Amino acid sequence: MELVCPAGGLPALRTAVDHGADAVYLSLRGEVNARNFPGLNFDRKTLVKGIQYAHSHGARVYMALNTYPQPDLFDQATAAIDVAAAEGIDAVILADMGVMRYAAQTHPELKLHLSVQGSATTADALNFYHERFGVRRAVLPRVLSLAQVEQVIKRSKIDIEVFGFGSLCVMVEGRCMLSSYATGDAPNTHGACSPAHAVRWIETDKGREARLNGVLIDTFKPGESAGYPVICKGRYQVGDAPEHFYAIEEPTSLSTLDILPDLYRIGVRAIKLEGRQRSPAYVAEATRVMRAAIDACHENPEGFRVKPDWAQALAGMSEGRTQTLGALHRAWQ
Amino acid sequence: MKLSLGPIQYYWPRQKVMDFYAMVAKAPVDLVYLGENVCSKRRELRAADWLDVAHRLADAGKTVILSSLALLEAESERLALERLVGNGHFMVEANDATALGLLVGQNFVAGPHINTYNAATLAELRAMGAIRWVLPVELSSSVLQQMHDARPEGLETEVIVFGKLPLAFSARCFTARAHNVPKDACGLACLDDPGGKYLNTQDSGELLTVNGIQLQSAEPSNLVEVLPDIAAMGVDVVRLLPEPEHMAEVIEAFRDCIDGHLSPQQALARIEGLFPRFSDGYWHGAAGMSWHQQMPV
């Protein structure tokens, strides 16, 4: 299993490579990638440096271009594809069929991966992207159980990558408009979920309010740890329920550490770490732990045991210090 | 400009579905999209029942399209989709890439859950066989204008102009979660909420509607006031999404406005009292939840 690590910038890229990433994924600046945050991502000069660094250390570089560009942004997306091809990117990670057509036609040698934003949840959907655009690998949305992932791998003609650790997206990626509903900006349209410009923290008598474009996402009591206000991880009241609760999902992180041998056994080709918006220190620690765990899994899948220091390190980096297998564990659903 | 009725997004008892489509058969809509596209556990009507309803509506002069699931997870869902695509009579609306794969080479409708955000994607869909595309709900009028102007020959444009907006799908069932039961033991709790359940923020505002594995907007989107602009653009079809109450009045108001028997303001006045609030932010390139009457001018 390949370890694919996030690189929000050049320092994170170097760190990921130094700590054992087989591949890193990154983006050019702009609204054509799904992590369009201020201060993140690459310009062409740093991209070239990043590719040189990775390639000289035997690591691959993937470029995520995974929003759905609207007419005004379409040329920016195709220009990014041209840059990827010209600079020797090892694969581009795409979601939009128009962009895929452009890439397949203009740069037939460029490898295409289907982004998690492409919302492909069945082998037929994956085979459709393979046959129509030559897609060779896909990242699965975090909505399938382990048994369902196994079925998909058995019937699909392409490699499967799954998220191994990081922030948990509860919705089918590419199908969630909660952020644009509240703020006007969302991953599909502007490459950002709950954009920072819409976030407000307000101290009140009842506690600290987290608001997103005015919408009250949650109220935190003094001392209570407060997560970033995304709609899906707020506390609400539903129907005639007597109290407010995490009606969609608690603040928690996905961690597949415990089931790495299962993922290996069913034929998962790559494990992806979420977090292009994270610090180089985070990337270093997450990469180090997952490198060691994947190596141990490859060496002896039957005898694989999670080492306490791995679990502790990942727990320390998790949202709300809790972890879940998400949909991979049927009961979560 | 034709008027269409989207699939029912909720779980209604069999008799309510039958009564609803008996009303629709007599209502002034041109196209009807039928079927379950939210949760495959909703089986008050079997595939054969849906086909019966389809034939009855076709006999009443409606163009019927069978709408596919927006999120497929299980093998059984894929098999059901294969049967839907092979129904031999009615066109299918694709709502995910699985359906696209099965429909390549046939005429089909690219539904609102296919992410169609630019003209290159429109060209791709047309090349596969799409004869109509539906504007994704989060896109604005100016994007619609650009895409509609650049659409390939033979591709019609459809825009959702009324109804609670489908905003997100998950593996998790939020209705089951609200009842504190696992999804596998949901007890078909959706049947108790024919219009979904409101999700309220801590300062009591209704933000969303919980509808099984789907989250919708709390209030219906309503573009009745801009129908003349939509018609002037040359949009071919406008779609209403069913709500459990007042749909006959909503259909009449939109029909009369399209036909010029009511001004947009009169049409709005007709349906204003029937729902607590509306939204139209996406149309104006703003947050989807906003409503122009509250927007700063």
Side-chain angles (χ1 to χ4, degrees), chain B residues 3 5 20-30 32 57 60 62 247-248 251-252 255:
Chain B
L3 185 60
L5 191 64
F20 180 76
Y21 285 115
M23 177 278 285
V24 171
K26 293 183 214 143
V29 294
D30 306 295
V32 183
L57 288 167
K62 315 297 181 195
M247 275 318 283
I251 292 168
E252 292 283 350
R255 176 91 263 167

Side-chain angles (χ1 to χ4, degrees), chain B residues 55-67:
Chain B
H55 283 289
R56 244 176 288 150
L57 288 167
D59 291 345
K62 315 297 181 195
T63 301
V64 175
I65 303 104
L66 303 178
S67 193

Side-chain angles (χ1 to χ4, degrees), chain A residues 232-252:
Chain A
C232 58
K233 289 175 183 169
R235 277 177 285 198
Y236 309 100
Q237 184 262 335
V238 176
D240 49 11
E243 53 198 27
H244 296 94
F245 65 108
Y246 290 111
I248 303 171
E249 172 62 309
E250 291 87 359
T252 182

Side-chain angles (χ1 to χ4, degrees), chain A residues 1-332:
Chain A
M1 289 186 293
E2 183 181 84
L3 175 61
V4 184
C5 299
L10 200 49
L13 180 147
R14 290 197 179 115
T15 300
V17 171
D18 292 348
H19 285 81
D22 295 306
V24 293
Y25 64 103
L26 50 71
S27 277
L28 288 174
R29 293 207 174 102
E31 294 185 18
V32 295
N33 85 85
R35 281 286 180 272
N36 173 32
F37 291 113
L40 272 194
N41 302 319
F42 289 70
D43 58 22
R44 191 151 179 173
K45 208 169 119 192
T46 48
L47 176 72
V48 170
K49 279 188 189 168
I51 294 171
Q52 276 170 356
Y53 190 83
H55 283 179
S56 66
H57 290 76
R60 287 172 288 281
V61 181
Y62 304 147
M63 184 191 282
L65 229 159
N66 52 354
T67 55
Y68 289 89
Q70 294 165 59
D72 289 345
L73 282 172
F74 196 75
D75 290 349
Q76 198 186 115
T78 56
I81 295 279
D82 294 341
V83 169
E87 301 298 355
I89 285 282
D90 296 283
V92 284
I93 307 169
L94 307 179
D96 181 83
M97 288 190 283
V99 176
M100 261 180 239
R101 171 55 64 211
Y102 175 85
Q105 240 159 25
T106 317
H107 304 288
E109 74 294 345
L110 188 59
K111 283 187 190 143
L112 308 188
H113 291 184
L114 182 70
S115 168
V116 70
Q117 286 274 113
S119 318
T121 54
T122 68
D124 297 82
L126 298 166
N127 293 340
F128 161 76
Y129 283 110
H130 174 67
E131 278 148 30
R132 190 125 193 123
F133 305 100
V135 165
R136 304 191 191 191
R137 182 191 286 188
V139 190
L140 292 182
R142 285 160 270 191
V143 295
L144 299 178
S145 69
L146 190 65
Q148 286 168 339
V149 174
E150 183 172 14
Q151 282 305 309
V152 166
I153 289 175
K154 273 186 188 154
R155 292 191 53 246
S156 95
K157 297 173 185 164
I158 65 175
D159 289 343
I160 296 301
E161 181 171 323
V162 300
F163 276 96
F165 178 73
S167 201
L168 177 70
C169 199
V170 186
M171 305 303 166
V172 191
E173 290 93 336
R175 302 278 192 84
C176 180
M177 302 173 195
L178 295 178
S179 176
S180 68
Y181 184 66
T183 74
D185 296 351
N188 286 357
T189 55
H190 295 79
C193 176
S194 308
H197 67 76
V199 172
R200 295 284 179 280
W201 298 96
I202 302 162
E203 301 296 339
T204 73
D205 296 347
K206 287 181 186 165
R208 190 178 203 208
E209 289 185 347
R211 288 186 181 265
L212 188 65
N213 195 21
V215 174
L216 182 56
I217 304 296
D218 209 343
T219 309
F220 302 96
K221 297 205 164 49
E224 199 177 6
S225 77
Y228 190 82
V230 287
I231 291 176
C232 58
K233 289 175 183 169
R235 277 177 285 198
Y236 309 100
Q237 184 262 335
V238 176
D240 49 11
E243 53 198 27
H244 296 94
F245 65 108
Y246 290 111
I248 303 171
E249 172 62 309
E250 291 87 359
T252 182
S253 286
L254 174 76
S255 176
T256 58
L257 200 54
D258 290 334
I259 60 161
L260 277 182
D262 297 314
L263 296 174
Y264 183 54
R265 174 182 54 78
I266 66 175
V268 167
R269 179 75 177 76
I271 299 288
K272 178 169 220 145
L273 305 187
E274 180 273 347
R276 276 187 285 152
Q277 73 281 26
R278 307 278 189 175
S279 69
Y282 174 99
V283 172
E285 190 66 350
T287 304
R288 180 188 69 79
V289 170
M290 288 305 268
R291 175 78 276 158
I294 290 173
D295 287 347
C297 174
H298 286 172
E299 213 164 280
N300 180 8
E302 285 77 29
F304 178 84
R305 293 284 177 277
V306 174
K307 289 194 176 163
D309 74 294
W310 301 342
Q312 204 179 354
L314 293 190
M317 296 190 293
S318 298
E319 268 181 75
R321 299 186 72 88
T322 62
Q323 297 178 337
T324 175
L325 279 170
L328 288 164
H329 188 239
R330 179 78 198 166
W332 178 92

